[in-house]
C-alpha cells in the first residue's frame, strides 16, 4: 500500500489512470449499450420523441432511404413496415448508417454513434410511418429461462446451414457471409430472426415461436459460456479444416523435427 | 562358426550325426554360454535362432526421411490400440434413444445409439475423450505419414526395380487408409459425419444406370435407413484393418527381402547397405521413435480438440451445417465436386446423368490411385531400364520425374483447397465465386507452371553440382598473379563430398540408342506399335538431361584449371562445362580417382 501511495504522484500514474478510465468506460458503455429499450414501438410514443426521431432520420438516413423513408432505388430500400426491431438491429449493431458501400453491412459496435435514446427515437419514428415488428419484450431475451437443448435443435434446423453449428459464421455467395453469433447481444439475435436483415430470411413468430427464439438464444449463450470447449483448444471451431491445418503444420513439423534429430544422432 | 549358434529343430531332424549339445546345462567356458536359457529353449523347439539371426543382422541406413514411413506405422499402431478401447463402449446402432447423459446442451434430444454412445465415451467414460482424440489424431497423422512417405519414395526413385510390387502394395495401403478413415469418422453419426455419409450416398447414386441400385444395396434401402452404421462399423473395425495389417506386414517383409535403399554416399553401392544392424542401434532408435511419436500424439490429443461431435448435434437428414468438410484426405474429391460446372448434369433418354458428381467422385477417386500405381511401370517403359536400383536418386537428378510429381501435388492441392473454399472466403474476406473461378483456372494452369519451374530448378541445381565437382567451392579469396591478373581461388571438393554429387546416371532417350530405322541393307528395323510414342515420351523425359561428371571430365578440369590459372588469360571457373579434354589426362595429381566407382556399373 505504501509503495503504491508513494507512486501516486508519478507522471505515469496520471496516464495509467486515464488509460484505465477510458478502457473501463468504453468497455462498460459498449457492454451496457444495447440500443432501444425492450418493447420499443410507435405505440405510446410521445410527439417529442417522434420529432427527435424525424430529425435524426433526416440527418443520418434520408440520403439513401428517402426523406419519407420511401426508398431511393438502388441506394436504399423503403423502410415502410420494417418496424422498430429492424431499426434497432441495424443501428445499434453499427451496421447503419452504412459507412461505405460494400457487399454487406458489417457489424461494428465501435461504430455506433447514437445514444440508446436516439436509437429508440429513430426506431419509434420509422415504426410510426408504417407499423412493423417491435423490439422484443424483456421476457424473451432471458437466456436463463430458455432450453438450450431445444434451442440447439431449432438452431440446427434453421440457422446452422449458414451460421455454422458452433455459431461462428459461414460464407455465402459473392463475398457475402453469415456473421459469427458469438458475442452478439440477445436482443439483436432475436431482432435478426424477427426481421431477416440482409441475406437472412425472416423467422416470424409462426415459424419460430418467441419461446423457441429464446431457446436459440440460450443455446448460443451456452456456447459462449464454453459448452463446446471440451478436450482442449478448439482451433477456431472450423471443424476438419482446423484439424488439417494443425496436422500439416505444427503436428507434422514436430514429427519431422524428431525424425531429423534422431537421424543425425550418431550411433 | 556353427558351434557358436544353436541350430534349431530343423537341424536336429535332418542331421545324421548328433549335433553338439546345445547349452541346456550352461557351461561358462562353452561358446554357447552367452545365450540365455529361454532363447536356447525356444530355438530347440521352433528353430528361432535362424530367423532371429537373419532379422537382427539386417542393416538399416540412417536418414531422417526413412523415418517418415515409421511415423505412419506407429500412428497405425496407436490407432489400433486406442480403437480397441473405443469398441468396448461404442454401440454401432442407429436405434433411436433420447439422450440423458452429462452433456447438458443435448439433454432430452433424440438421437441414434451410435451418437449417444460416442457422447458417453467423450463425457462419461474415464479417459474416453482423450482416447477418442488420440484415435482421431493418430488417424490423421497416419495418413500424413503415408503421404510424406509416398512422396519420399516417389521423389527418390525408390519405386524402381525391384520395388515396383512394394510400391503397388503401398498404393493400395494408402487407399485403404483413407477408406478406413472415412468409415471411422462416419461412425459417431453426428451432423457432420451424417452429411459425409449423405455425400457418399450421392457419389454412388451418380453412377450411370446402376447408381440407385448400388445405394440401395449398400444402405439396405432408402437413405439413411438403419443399416449403414453397423455396416461401416464392421468394415472399420474388422474388414479393412485386417487387410490393412496383412498388406502392411507384406510391405515390411518386402523391405526386408529387397534390403533397404540408401542415398548415394561414400562406399555405398548397389550391392551393399551401409548403416547399423537392427540390434542394438537401430532397434533402440526405432523403438525410441515409437515413443516419440506416441508422446507427440498424446500431447496433441490432450491439448487440442478434434472432431468435437457434441458441437454438431445428432444427424438429421433435414439439417446441415455451414463449414461441413470431410477430413483432409477426402478434400480433393469434395473439392472437385465444388469446381465441376453444373451443366455436366443433363437429361438424356429420360434419365438424369450427373456427371458433375460422377467425374469428381467415382471417376476421380480410382483414377488417382490407378495413376499412382501405374507410374513406376510408365517410367520403366520410358527408360527401357531393366537394372536393379538400390541407390536412391536425389530429386534433382531426375528432373522430369520431380517436376511431374510436383505438378501432380499442385493439382491435388488446388482440388483440396477448393474443398475449403467457404472457409477461405470468410477468413480471407474473399468472394466464394471468385475463389471458384481462381481454382478452376489454377487446376489447369498451376501444374504446367509448377512443372516448368521445378524442372528448371532441378536442372540448375544439377549444373551447380557439376560446377562444384569440376571447379570446387568458391572460397571468396582473390588471388593476384605476378602479372597483375586477379582470380578467385576455388577449393576442390574432398572425395567424400564429391561422391554424393556424381553417383547418378541419366538414361539416354530411347530414340537415340536404337540406331537408324533402316539398316545398311535397306531392311527396316522391327518396331512395336508403340515404339514411336515410347521414343517421344523418353525424349520428353531425358532430352535435356544434365549428366554426372565423369572421371575423365574431372581430370581434364583440374588439368585445364591449373594451367589456365597460371598461363591463359581466361578465368576457367566461369566457362562452359569442360568437355574439351585434350586426352593427356593427368591422373598423377590424384584428384580424379575417387569418382570412378559409381558411374561405371551400367
Amino acid at each position: 500500500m505504501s509503495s503504491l501511495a508513494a507512486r501516486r504522484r508519478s507522471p505515469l500514474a496520471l496516464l495509467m489512470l486515464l488509460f484505465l478510465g477510458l478502457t473501463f468506460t468504453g468497455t462498460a458503455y459498449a457492454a451496457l449499450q444495447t440500443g432501444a429499450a425492450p418493447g420499443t414501438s410507435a405505440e405510446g410514443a410521445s410527439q417529442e420523441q417522434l420529432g427527435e426521431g424525424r430529425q435524426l432520420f433526416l440527418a443520418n438516413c434520408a440520403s439513401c432511404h428517402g426523406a419519407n423513408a420511401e426508398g431511393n432505388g438502388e441506394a436504399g430500400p423503403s423502410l415502410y413496415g420494417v418496424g422498430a426491431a429492424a431499426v434497432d438491429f441495424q443501428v445499434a449493431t453499427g451496421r447503419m448508417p452504412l459507412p461505405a458501400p460494400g457487399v454487406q453491412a458489417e457489424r461494428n459496435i465501435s461504430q455506433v454513434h447514437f445514444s440508446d435514446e436516439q436509437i429508440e427515437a429513430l426506431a419509434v419514428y420509422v415504426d410510426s410511418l408504417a407499423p412493423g415488428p417491435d423490439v422484443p419484450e424483456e421476457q424473451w431475451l432471458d437466456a436463463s429461462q430458455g432450453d438450450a437443448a431445444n434451442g440447439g435443435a431449432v438452431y440446427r434446423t434453421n440457422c446452422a446451414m449458414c451460421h455454422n453449428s458452433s455459431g461462428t459464421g459461414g460464407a455465402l455467395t459473392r463475398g457475402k457471409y453469415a456473421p459469427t453469433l458469438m458475442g452478439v447481444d440477445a436482443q439483436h439475435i432475436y431482432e435478426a430472426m424477427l426481421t431477416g436483415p440482409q441475406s437472412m430470411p425472416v423467422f416470424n413468430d409462426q415459424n419460430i415461436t418467441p419461446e423457441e427464439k429464446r431457446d436459440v438464444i440460450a443455446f448460443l449463450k451456452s456456447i459462449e459460456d464454453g459448452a463446446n470447449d471440451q478436450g482442449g483448444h478448439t482451433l477456431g471451431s472450423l471443424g476438419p479444416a482446423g484439424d488439417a491445418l494443425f496436422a500439416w503444420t505444427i503436428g507434422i513439423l514436430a514429427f519431422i523435427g524428431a525424425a531429423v534429430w534422431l537421424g543425425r544422432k550418431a550411433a | 562358426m556353427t558351434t557358436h549358434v544353436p541350430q534349431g529343430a530343423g537341424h536336429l531332424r535332418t542331421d545324421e550325426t548328433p549335433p553338439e549339445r546345445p547349452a541346456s546345462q550352461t557351461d561358462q567356458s562353452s561358446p554357447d554360454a552367452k545365450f540365455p536359457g529361454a532363447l536356447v529353449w525356444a530355438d530347440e523347439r521352433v528353430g528361432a535362432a535362424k530367423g532371429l539371426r537373419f532379422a537382427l543382422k539386417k542393416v538399416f541406413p540412417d536418414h531422417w526421411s526413412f523415418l517418415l514411413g515409421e511415423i505412419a506405422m506407429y500412428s497405425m499402431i496407436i490407432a489400433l490400440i486406442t480403437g480397441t478401447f473405443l469398441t468396448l463402449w461404442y454401440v454401432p446402432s442407429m436405434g433411436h434413444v433420447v439422450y440423458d447423459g452429462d452433456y447438458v446442451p443435448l439433454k432430452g434430444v433424440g438421437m441414434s445409439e451410435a451418437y449417444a454412445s460416442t457422447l458417453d465415451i467423450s463425457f462419461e467414460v474415464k479417459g474416453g475423450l482423450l482416447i477418442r482424440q488420440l484415435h482421431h489424431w493418430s488417424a490423421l497423422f497416419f495418413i500424413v505419414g503415408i503421404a510424406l512417405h509416398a512422396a519420399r519414395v516417389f521423389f527418390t526413385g525408390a519405386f524402381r526395380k525391384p520395388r515396383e510390387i512394394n510400391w503397388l502394395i503401398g498404393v493400395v495401403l494408402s487407399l485403404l487408409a483413407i477408406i478406413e478413415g472415412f468409415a471411422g469418422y462416419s461412425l459417431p453419426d453426428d451432423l457432420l459425419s451424417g452429411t459425409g455419409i449423405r455425400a457418399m450416398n450421392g457419389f454412388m447414386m451418380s453412377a450411370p444406370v446402376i447408381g440407385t441400385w448400388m445405394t440401395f444395396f449398400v444402405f439396405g434401402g432408402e437413405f439413411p435407413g438403419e443399416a449403414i452404421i453397423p455396416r461401416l462399423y464392421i468394415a472399420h473395425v474388422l474388414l479393412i484393418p485386417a487387410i490393412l495389417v496383412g498388406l502392411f506386414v507384406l510391405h515390411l517383409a518386402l523391405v526386408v527381402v529387397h534390403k533397404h535403399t540408401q542415398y548415394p554416399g561414400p562406399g555405398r553401392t548397389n550391392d551393399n547397405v551401409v548403416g547399423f544392424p537392427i540390434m542394438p542401434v537401430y532397434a533402440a532408435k526405432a523403438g525410441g521413435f515409437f515413443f516419440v511419436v506416441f508422446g507427440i500424439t498424446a500431447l496433441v490429443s490432450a491439448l487440442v480438440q478434434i472432431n468435437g461431435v457434441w458441437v454438431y448435434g445428432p444427424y438429421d437428414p433435414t439439417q446441415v451445417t455451414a463449414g461441413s468438410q470431410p477430413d483432409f484426405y477426402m478434400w480433393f474429391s469434395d473439392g472437385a465436386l465444388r469446381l465441376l460446372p453444373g451443366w455436366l448434369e443433363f437429361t438424356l433418354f429420360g434419365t438424369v446423368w450427373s456427371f458433375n458428381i460422377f467425374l469428381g467422385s467415382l471417376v476421380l477417386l480410382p483414377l488417382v490411385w490407378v495413376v499412382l500405381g501405374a507410374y513406376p511401370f510408365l517410367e520403366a517403359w520410358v527408360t527401357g531400364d531393366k537394372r536393379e536400383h538400390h541407390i536412391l536418386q536425389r530429386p534433382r537428378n531426375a528432373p522430369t520425374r520431380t517436376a511431374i510429381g510436383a505438378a501432380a501435388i499442385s493439382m491435388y492441392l488446388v482440388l483440396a483447397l477448393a474443398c475449403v473454399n467457404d472457409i477461405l472466403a470468410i477468413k480471407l474476406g474473399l468472394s466464394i465465386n471468385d475463389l471458384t473461378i481462381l481454382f478452376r483456372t489454377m487446376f489447369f494452369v498451376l501444374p504446367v507452371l509448377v512443372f516448368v519451374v521445378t524442372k528448371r530448378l532441378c536442372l540448375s541445381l544439377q549444373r551447380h553440382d557439376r560446377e562444384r565437382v569440376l571447379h570446387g567451392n568458391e572460397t571468396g579469396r582473390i588471388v593476384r598473379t605476378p602479372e597483375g591478373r586477379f582470380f578467385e581461388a576455388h577449393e576442390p571438393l574432398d572425395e567424400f563430398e564429391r561422391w554424393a554429387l556424381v553417383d547418378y546416371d541419366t538414361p539416354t532417350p530411347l530414340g537415340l540408342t536404337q540406331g537408324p530405322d533402316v539398316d545398311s541393307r535397306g531392311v527396316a528395323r522391327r518396331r512395336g506399335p508403340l515404339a514411336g510414342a515410347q521414343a517421344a515420351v523418353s525424349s520428353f523425359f531425358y532430352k535435356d538431361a544434365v549428366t554426372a561428371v565423369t572421371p575423365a571430365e574431372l581430370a581434364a578440369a583440374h588439368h585445364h584449371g591449373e594451367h589456365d590459372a597460371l598461363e591463359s588469360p581466361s578465368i576457367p571457373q566461369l566457362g562452359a562445362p569442360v568437355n574439351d579434354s585434350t586426352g593427356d589426362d593427368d591422373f598423377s595429381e590424384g584428384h580424379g580417382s575417387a569418382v570412378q566407382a559409381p558411374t561405371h556399373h551400367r
Side-chain angles (χ1 to χ4, degrees), chain B residues 96-110:
Chain B
H96 189 83
V97 290
V98 173
Y99 182 70
D100 189 28
D102 281 358
Y103 187 68
V104 177
L106 286 172
K107 241 184 187 357
V109 174

Side-chain angles (χ1 to χ4, degrees), chain A residues 104-191:
Chain A
Q104 177 168 332
E106 287 181 28
R107 174 170 181 262
N108 190 350
I109 292 296
S110 66
Q111 211 171 266
V112 181
H113 298 306
F114 302 100
S115 69
D116 285 356
E117 290 73 31
Q118 288 174 317
I119 295 171
E120 207 169 304
L122 258 178
V124 167
Y125 169 70
V126 171
D127 197 37
S128 73
L129 299 174
D134 297 340
V135 176
E137 300 288 347
E138 189 88 64
Q139 55 168 322
W140 307 123
L141 305 177
D142 186 1
S144 64
Q145 290 183 45
D147 174 1
N150 184 51
V154 174
Y155 179 87
R156 283 188 291 275
T157 303
N158 296 289
C159 321
M161 69 280 284
C162 297
H163 288 284
N164 191 318
S165 60
S166 51
T168 50
L172 303 175
T173 53
R174 304 201 181 283
K176 289 179 292 215
Y177 60 91
T180 177
L181 303 177
M182 296 295 100
V184 178
D185 194 85
Q187 183 171 322
H188 299 147
I189 296 175
Y190 194 106
E191 286 167 347

Side-chain angles (χ1 to χ4, degrees), chain A residues 147-150 152-154 156-157 159-166 168-179 219 222 227-248 251-252 254-256 258-267, chain B residues 62-64 67-68 71 75 103-107 109 123 129 133 137 140-141 144-145 147-148 191-192 276 281 285-286 289 292-293 296-297 300-307 310-314 318-323 325-328 331 420 422-423 425-427 430-433:
Chain A
D147 174 1
N150 184 51
V154 174
R156 283 188 291 275
T157 303
C159 321
M161 69 280 284
C162 297
H163 288 284
N164 191 318
S165 60
S166 51
T168 50
L172 303 175
T173 53
R174 304 201 181 283
K176 289 179 292 215
Y177 60 91
F219 172 71
S222 81
N228 283 351
D229 305 345
Q230 317 282 339
H233 197 281
T234 59
L235 300 175
S237 296
L238 290 178
D243 305 337
L245 187 64
F246 185 90
W248 278 100
I252 200 58
F255 285 123
I256 292 181
V260 171
W261 171 74
L262 208 62
R264 277 167 186 264
K265 228 47 192 149
Chain B
D62 238 352
H63 194 270
W64 67 267
L67 296 178
L68 296 173
I71 295 175
S75 298
Y103 187 68
V104 177
L106 286 172
K107 241 184 187 357
V109 174
F123 295 118
L129 182 55
Q133 301 204 139
W137 276 121
L140 288 197
F141 292 139
V144 171
L148 293 177
L191 186 52
L192 184 66
F276 296 102
V281 174
K285 277 196 170 192
F289 194 53
V292 170
V293 171
I296 293 174
T297 312
V300 170
S301 307
L303 296 178
V304 187
Q305 182 194 85
I306 187 165
N307 194 22
W310 51 89
V311 173
Y312 301 109
T318 63
Q319 300 171 351
V320 71
T321 166
Q325 265 90 23
D327 274 6
F328 71 83
W331 281 7
V420 285
D422 54 331
I423 288 177
I426 193 164
K427 288 290 164 196
L430 295 168
S431 156
I432 204 167
N433 304 60

Side-chain angles (χ1 to χ4, degrees), chain B residues 501-513:
Chain B
L501 301 186
V502 296
D503 187 8
Y504 73 94
D505 51 27
T506 309
T508 317
L510 288 178
L512 302 181
T513 59

Side-chain angles (χ1 to χ4, degrees), chain B residues 26 34 47 98 103-104 146 167 195 198 202 219 294 314 327 331 333 336 418 443 446 453 479 486 494 541 554:
Chain B
T26 309
K34 55 189 157 184
V98 173
Y103 187 68
V104 177
I146 288 178
W167 168 265
T195 306
R198 182 51 151 169
F219 284 77
F294 203 136
D327 274 6
W331 281 7
S333 181
F443 180 75
L446 197 63
V453 170
V479 177
F486 292 91
D494 67 52
F541 261 73
L554 185 68

Side-chain angles (χ1 to χ4, degrees), chain B residues 280-359:
Chain B
V281 174
Y282 197 77
K285 277 196 170 192
F289 194 53
F290 171 72
F291 291 105
V292 170
V293 171
F294 203 136
I296 293 174
T297 312
L299 194 68
V300 170
S301 307
L303 296 178
V304 187
Q305 182 194 85
I306 187 165
N307 194 22
V309 289
W310 51 89
V311 173
Y312 301 109
Y315 183 60
D316 179 331
T318 63
Q319 300 171 351
V320 71
T321 166
S324 289
Q325 265 90 23
D327 274 6
F328 71 83
Y329 39 88
M330 300 299 283
W331 281 7
F332 74 102
S333 181
D334 198 329
L337 297 186
R338 296 184 190 211
L339 294 188
L340 282 164
W343 50 260
L344 285 169
E345 180 172 282
F346 51 87
T347 308
L348 198 66
F349 308 123
T351 312
V352 177
W353 305 78
S354 295
F355 277 84
N356 53 341
I357 295 170
F358 182 62
L359 291 179

